[in-house]
Amino acid sequence: MNEKRELLVRMFLDVQEKFDLLCEPLTSEEHRIQPISEASPPWWSVMHTGWFYARNILMEMGEYLPLDLKYDVLRNSY
């Protein structure tokens, strides 16, 4: 792995780990709740972060697989 890619992967995994820690005390049901209209439910935020990483980092680096495109609707669903 080149240094830039390694740094980006590490940064993404750090963000995902922070999401995991924030969501750890939540029950399965609480992951689905939208607390207020201005905020998304936790499950969406985790998926959207994965989508953002894939589309805006991996794709720009030429490492986004055609198979990944079929999951865009899941990762970026509103």
Side-chain angles (χ1 to χ4, degrees), residues 52-77:
F52 184 89
Y53 170 77
R55 287 294 257 168
N56 297 294
I57 296 175
L58 292 181
M59 186 176 267
E60 290 297 314
M61 296 175 72
E63 298 193 28
Y64 200 68
L65 304 174
L67 180 62
D68 293 331
L69 292 173
K70 82 178 201 176
Y71 296 109
D72 271 358
V73 73
L74 295 174
R75 293 184 184 123
N76 191 32
S77 61

Side-chain angles (χ1 to χ4, degrees), residues 13-29:
L13 293 175
D14 286 347
V15 169
Q16 290 298 88
E17 185 178 334
K18 285 179 178 64
F19 270 125
D20 288 345
L21 291 173
L22 288 170
C23 293
E24 195 173 282
L26 301 176
T27 66
S28 297
E29 294 79 14

Side-chain angles (χ1 to χ4, degrees), residues 30-48:
E30 290 169 329
H31 274 86
R32 306 292 302 165
I33 296 171
Q34 184 168 357
I36 58 174
S37 60
E38 293 83 11
S40 299
W43 70 269
W44 184 88
S45 297
V46 172
M47 287 296 289
H48 192 69

